[in-house]
Amino acid sequence: MDQEGNKRKNIKEVKVGALCQLCHCRKAVMKRPKNLQKLCKECFFYIFETEIHLTIQKENLFYKGETIAIGASGGKDSTVLASIMKTLNERYNYGLNLVLLSVDEGIVGYRDDSLATVKRNQLQYNMPLEIVSYKDLYNWTMDEIVSCTNVKSSCTYCGVLRRQALDRGALKLDIHHVVTGHNADDMAETVLMNLLRGDTARIENSVNVTTNSTGSPVKRSKPFKYTYQKEIVLYAHYKKLDYFSTECTYAPEAFRGTARVLLKNLESVRPSCIIDIIHSGEHFKLKSRKERIVKNKKLQKTTKNPESQNEMEIRPDGSVSISASKDGNRCERCGYLSMNKICKACILLEGLEANRPKLTIDGITSNTDGAAKLSKTLEKLSF
Amino acid sequence: MVVVKVEFLGGLDQTFGGIKNTKCILDQQQLQNDITIANLIDYLASNLITNEKDLEMFIQDGTIRPGILVLINDTDWELEDKEDYILEDGDLVSFTSTLHGG
């Protein structure tokens, strides 16, 4: 003991209680939030990877030879996702072609840095990378959008636009399946958020591992549905994965933040609550669609102007009133799948166009980063 | 006196003025007790956080904010008596935020 005590700490004698509960031979380094099991690094890697493999198998997420786009932001979730997909694809012979797909929202000091991470991942994992930008798709960068609206609604715009951007990017590559790094914490957060907002219609679908709206050419899956954020961070840390971890410049004021704080506080009291909330969400069943539509029609009669509500009511998350609409409609303007005549993105963009800064500055083209913000600020100046 | 290495990861460095790695010398002659993680946290909160507003990004209800992972020599502090862990020379304590963007 004397001799060992002089050596580095982690070689010193380990109590039986501190051993890994699976292999019983190495020192445990982490405690699984799901079941409080203490595991060593090696067993943790094994369990973590195997659980995701089992989710993929159980849900039949992929077929052999399928080309999959990995929605990659450079953050921890998508970096671990890319690494895991590569590992599992090789280990279990999925036979998948993996491609990284990134969206450049145009947020200076955030996305440009995180895209650099994605570019490194491209080399590390030896996968092709495709980047689609808001600027190319919509002629707006997020910086410009925020300068024309306010920071609070930035996530609404960004979320709606990103969803389309990922689909369009995938279609450009002729890929019909996108996997994203949404984890169990995100899922639970969404359930909580929809509950707090009273948006019951969304709870049911928000917990699905795969979302495939009728008529949508691109399927989306979340292999990390049951994977805790804490374990993802630990996995990235122990595997020394290269990820980018700066909070988005506009994020702290978003509503999701509130639900996240609530969830983290709940988790610290009872770690299993995240899985429990997902479980509750999965068992949340609304009455059949027919009954709801009848109820909606009654509601509509009491509304003065149902037509305008149909098209224009936008909820804080960017969702649009779904009353009396059918799945599989197309947006009249851009042809994107939409519940209504005009899709959310087009409605949002229309509002933005009306708000474009009226002032232009000589020598600054609209391509310059932050130009809209600058001109908007100058507009308000008075001497 | 104890010298430990401290890391701020997962975006937490922003709370600490961009510091990612640092060495902390904890000297508590007035206290006869061993130096624990709780002492280290107090030290970090009062010496390294310059902006009062950033404090709540690190501390909540007198302890580490939920969602921040504390690792002592790469082992989750939940397995090491949490705040009561007695620091030794050369220990590496890392604080990782799990809250920052996915």
Side-chain angles (χ1 to χ4, degrees):
Chain A
M1 183 64 209
D2 284 349
Q3 200 191 353
E4 280 169 343
N6 291 334
K7 284 189 195 168
R8 275 197 59 84
K9 241 197 80 103
N10 44 11
I11 316 173
K12 92 179 176 191
E13 229 164 74
V14 177
K15 286 184 205 130
V16 177
L19 287 174
C20 168
Q21 292 177 340
L22 267 189
C23 66
H24 304 287
C25 61
R26 286 177 291 251
K27 184 175 174 287
V29 294
M30 59 86 65
K31 199 171 172 183
R32 300 200 73 197
K34 214 172 267 183
N35 53 13
L36 306 182
Q37 200 172 32
K38 297 173 190 170
L39 298 180
C40 67
K41 252 182 223 183
E42 284 74 7
C43 291
F44 166 61
F45 290 154
Y46 179 75
I47 280 265
F48 183 87
E49 289 157 1
T50 308
E51 273 193 8
I52 292 157
H53 169 61
L54 291 176
T55 308
I56 290 172
Q57 272 204 319
K58 197 180 130 224
E59 308 280 350
N60 244 330
L61 285 189
F62 313 118
Y63 60 84
K64 219 170 190 145
E66 195 174 10
T67 304
I68 306 286
I70 301 171
S73 66
K76 52 184 184 285
D77 297 319
S78 56
T79 304
V80 173
L81 181 66
S83 160
I84 284 275
M85 287 302 295
K86 185 179 164 64
T87 307
L88 295 181
N89 191 28
E90 286 164 5
R91 183 182 301 164
Y92 296 103
N93 253 325
Y94 290 166
L96 301 175
N97 299 315
L98 300 171
V99 176
L100 294 171
L101 177 61
S102 285
V103 177
D104 182 2
E105 293 92 345
I107 302 173
V108 175
Y110 169 65
R111 188 49 94 218
D112 41 357
D113 293 344
S114 60
L115 282 175
T117 314
V118 180
K119 284 173 191 159
R120 285 198 301 275
N121 290 341
Q122 176 195 5
L123 300 174
Q124 287 154 3
Y125 304 134
N126 193 21
M127 292 177 196
L129 165 68
E130 175 75 20
I131 300 175
V132 286
S133 75
Y134 281 10
K135 191 73 193 170
D136 291 345
L137 288 178
Y138 312 113
N139 197 27
W140 282 90
T141 66
M142 265 320 283
D143 284 339
E144 288 167 357
I145 291 176
V146 172
S147 70
C148 286
T149 57
N150 58 16
V151 179
K152 267 198 174 154
S153 55
S154 57
C155 291
T156 306
Y157 286 94
C158 201
V160 171
L161 298 181
R162 186 180 313 105
R163 195 180 168 81
Q164 279 205 13
L166 266 179
D167 282 0
R168 284 171 197 268
L171 288 176
K172 204 165 124 192
L173 301 170
D174 201 26
I175 297 174
H176 299 277
H177 197 168
V178 177
V179 289
T180 55
H182 290 99
N183 56 43
D185 294 50
D186 296 329
M187 303 290 270
E189 224 173 273
T190 309
V191 172
L192 270 184
M193 229 165 41
N194 286 331
L195 205 64
L196 293 174
R197 206 185 265 140
D199 196 350
T200 44
R202 276 169 184 271
I203 294 178
E204 218 177 318
N205 291 325
S206 64
V207 286
N208 288 344
V209 70
T210 305
T211 42
N212 193 4
S213 330
T214 328
S216 168
V218 182
K219 196 164 84 170
R220 283 159 176 268
S221 308
K222 308 179 184 98
F224 284 171
K225 183 186 170 186
Y226 297 114
T227 310
Y228 272 64
Q229 194 155 57
K230 179 180 169 180
E231 295 193 353
I232 292 174
V233 174
L234 277 173
Y235 188 86
H237 181 80
Y238 290 145
K239 285 256 173 183
K240 300 194 168 51
L241 298 182
D242 181 8
Y243 72 91
F244 178 81
S245 55
T246 304
E247 188 69 281
C248 171
T249 337
Y250 306 124
E253 305 199 34
F255 182 58
R256 194 167 270 274
T258 323
R260 185 181 295 187
V261 170
L262 172 63
L263 193 71
K264 281 291 141 192
N265 289 341
L266 286 173
E267 189 193 0
S268 67
V269 181
R270 191 180 128 116
S272 72
C273 82
I274 288 177
I275 279 294
D276 299 341
I277 290 173
I278 296 175
H279 185 77
S280 307
E282 286 172 338
H283 289 259
F284 192 94
K285 289 277 176 279
L286 278 182
K287 276 187 193 166
S288 75
R289 209 180 159 79
K290 254 187 191 167
E291 287 172 69
R292 268 189 291 151
I293 288 172
V294 171
K295 206 179 145 202
N296 274 338
K297 277 185 180 156
K298 275 182 202 160
L299 277 174
Q300 263 187 25
K301 276 176 194 163
T302 58
T303 321
K304 268 187 187 170
N305 194 349
E307 192 58 37
S308 75
Q309 196 188 352
N310 252 351
E311 278 177 28
M312 295 306 288
E313 196 208 34
I314 306 166
R315 299 204 191 97
D317 66 335
S319 67
V320 184
S321 162
I322 53 158
S323 49
S325 62
K326 275 179 280 170
D327 275 352
N329 289 345
R330 307 243 150 232
C331 169
E332 282 181 354
R333 285 193 201 161
C334 66
Y336 185 76
L337 183 86
S338 165
M339 295 278 213
N340 299 290
K341 268 189 191 167
I342 295 166
C343 72
K344 300 164 201 172
C346 285
I347 292 173
L348 290 177
L349 288 170
E350 190 182 61
L352 281 172
E353 286 301 337
N355 245 326
R356 272 257 195 226
K358 292 160 198 96
L359 205 73
T360 50
I361 305 162
D362 288 341
I364 297 181
T365 59
S366 56
N367 298 333
T368 314
D369 298 323
K373 186 173 185 167
L374 182 60
S375 34
K376 199 77 187 171
T377 320
L378 286 171
E379 229 176 60
K380 287 179 206 144
L381 275 182
S382 60
F383 295 98
Chain B
M1 193 182 83
V2 172
V3 183
V4 294
K5 281 175 281 181
V6 179
E7 279 182 330
F8 302 107
L9 306 169
L12 201 65
D13 50 301
Q14 284 160 335
T15 305
F16 289 88
I19 301 171
K20 281 201 162 76
N21 299 291
T22 185
K23 230 172 216 174
C24 288
I25 302 166
L26 295 163
D27 189 6
Q28 287 191 319
Q29 284 179 335
Q30 65 270 46
L31 287 173
Q32 293 296 304
N33 304 333
D34 293 317
I35 296 168
T36 63
I37 290 272
N39 299 132
L40 176 69
I41 293 166
D42 285 344
Y43 173 87
L44 295 175
S46 48
N47 291 292
L48 287 182
I49 295 185
T50 40
N51 192 342
E52 192 75 3
K53 260 175 100 183
D54 286 338
L55 197 62
E56 61 183 40
M57 300 301 289
F58 187 56
I59 304 281
Q60 186 182 309
D61 300 326
T63 184
I64 294 289
R65 179 183 180 198
I68 293 178
L69 218 66
V70 186
L71 300 179
I72 305 162
N73 301 320
D74 258 3
T75 299
D76 192 338
W77 76 334
E78 286 182 36
L79 305 177
E80 302 269 17
D81 305 326
K82 295 182 90 168
E83 283 101 334
D84 299 328
Y85 173 84
I86 296 162
L87 289 168
E88 288 176 27
D89 265 335
D91 275 349
L92 171 65
V93 184
S94 48
F95 298 92
T96 308
S97 172
T98 63
L99 301 168
H100 287 272

